């Protein structure tokens, strides 16, 4: 039988262990918060290797690195992207740094966190923004072999269903800003769907940009070479989109090519 002293010792050890666990959790959470970058982060395809994204000199090399951080760190509200071509490599995020699991490889997309401002048109290495001079392309043409003619778009069977995806929460959704990009190569030609932020995202609509909910601003973009069953260039499910100075041409759909 255990003595009163043994029970007292065991209780103290259990208490110390609990305190240690709580302290570890607090320190870990604080460390995660301290690892988040400033509100503006940078992406530049021309850098030799990715940095921490906090300056042009230490920019991320891929847009997906920046989006992963932005999904995990709500303090990040702006992503500035230098000229170059960027292709999606990850599926929509389901949690911090975790992409969702689906049966379709083509669910890869640039999944924007709610509230983000995404700005293209910066020169390689950073500098003054000039959208016309610094083409910043988001492309769902994974193999780089699309053929766009007056008859439609071919060689796009491997393309991402949606190049850009923004899904605002049902409650408290804000919306996103996408400004200064060429968006091409989306092919939403599948009748099934996935669920993101509790909403159905159909693989048949919005080859270029698919927005769901929120108040979104789309400015100074060129959308071309996208296709879908409905809404080849842009598709909006709920919410509001404000479009200004965008060019939509050469997109294809059974219903609503733009």
């Amino acid at each position: 039988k255990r003595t009163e002293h043994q029970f007292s010792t065991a209780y103290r050890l259990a208490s110390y262990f609990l305190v240690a666990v709580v302290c570890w959790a607090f320190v870990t959470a604080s460390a995660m918060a301290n690892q988040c970058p400033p509100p503006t982060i940078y992406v530049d395809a021309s850098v030799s290797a990715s940095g921490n994204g906090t300056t042009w000199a230490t920019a991320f090399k891929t847009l997906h690195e920046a989006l992963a951080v932005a999904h995990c760190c709500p303090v990040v509200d702006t992503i500035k992207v230098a000229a170059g071509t960027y292709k999606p490599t990850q599926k929509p995020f389901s949690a911090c740094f975790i992409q969702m699991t689906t049966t379709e490889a083509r669910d890869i997309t640039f999944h924007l966190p709610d509230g983000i401002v995404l700005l293209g048109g910066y020169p390689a290495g950073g500098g003054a923004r000039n959208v016309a001079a610094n083409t910043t392309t988001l492309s769902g043409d994974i193999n780089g072999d699309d053929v766009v003619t007056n008859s439609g778009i071919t060689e796009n069977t491997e393309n991402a269903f949606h190049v850009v995806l923004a899904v605002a929460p049902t409650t408290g959704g804000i919306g996103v800003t996408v400004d200064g990009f060429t968006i091409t190569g989306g092919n939403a030609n599948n009748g099934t769907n996935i669920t993101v932020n509790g909403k159905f995202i159909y693989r048949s609509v919005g080859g270029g940009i698919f927005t769901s909910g929120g108040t979104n601003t789309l400015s100074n973009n060129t959308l071309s070479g996208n296709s879908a069953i409905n809404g080849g260039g842009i598709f909006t499910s709920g919410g509001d989109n404000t479009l200004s100075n965008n060019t939509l041409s050469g997109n294809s759909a059974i219903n609503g090519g733009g």
Side-chain angles (χ1 to χ4, degrees):
K1 295 182 179 180
R2 293 185 178 182
T3 65
E4 182 178 346
H5 173 72
Q6 288 174 319
F7 275 114
S8 177
T9 301
Y11 177 80
R12 286 199 304 272
L13 289 174
S15 298
Y16 294 155
F17 176 76
L18 178 60
V19 170
V21 169
V22 171
C23 289
W24 176 86
F26 175 78
V27 170
T28 300
S30 299
M32 285 294 292
N34 290 334
Q35 289 174 0
C36 283
T40 299
I41 56 179
Y42 302 83
V43 180
D44 187 349
S46 72
V47 299
S48 57
S50 285
N52 60 15
T54 59
T55 67
W56 283 118
T58 59
F60 292 119
K61 188 173 181 64
T62 69
L63 179 53
H64 261 305
E65 292 172 286
L67 291 175
V69 170
H71 274 279
C72 201
C73 296
V75 67
V76 175
D77 57 22
T78 303
I79 301 176
K80 296 183 177 181
V81 188
T85 297
Y86 302 86
K87 296 186 179 184
T89 58
Q90 294 183 336
K91 297 178 182 181
F93 292 97
S94 58
C96 183
F97 293 115
I98 299 175
Q99 60 177 314
M100 65 188 300
T101 300
T102 72
T103 58
E104 283 281 358
R106 295 171 58 203
D107 284 323
I108 55 175
T109 185
F110 291 118
H111 178 202
L112 308 185
D114 190 41
I116 202 73
V117 175
L118 189 67
L119 302 175
Y122 293 92
R129 185 172 184 244
N130 186 323
V131 173
N134 303 301
T135 302
T136 310
T137 301
L138 308 181
S139 175
D141 180 9
I142 306 306
N143 290 345
D145 59 356
D146 284 10
V147 177
V148 182
T149 67
N150 291 334
S151 300
I153 306 168
T154 58
E155 306 300 326
N156 63 345
T157 56
E158 90 292 347
N159 290 22
F161 292 122
H162 315 104
V163 181
V164 175
L165 175 65
V167 186
T170 302
T171 302
I174 300 170
V176 302
T177 294
V178 180
D179 187 327
F181 292 89
T182 294
I183 298 171
T184 186
N187 182 21
N189 65 340
N190 185 303
T192 59
N193 64 273
I194 58 176
T195 301
V196 179
N197 277 355
K199 298 180 180 180
F200 290 133
I201 304 301
Y202 291 93
R203 297 170 171 136
S204 59
V205 297
I209 300 176
F210 186 133
T211 64
S212 177
T215 300
N216 308 288
T217 301
L218 310 177
S219 304
N220 305 307
N221 301 297
T222 297
L223 289 102
S224 65
N226 301 287
S227 59
I229 295 175
N230 292 282
I234 301 171
F235 185 88
T236 300
S237 175
D240 297 300
N241 280 356
T242 298
L243 278 68
S244 62
N245 198 34
N246 297 285
T247 299
L248 285 83
S249 65
N251 300 293
S252 174
I254 296 174
N255 299 302

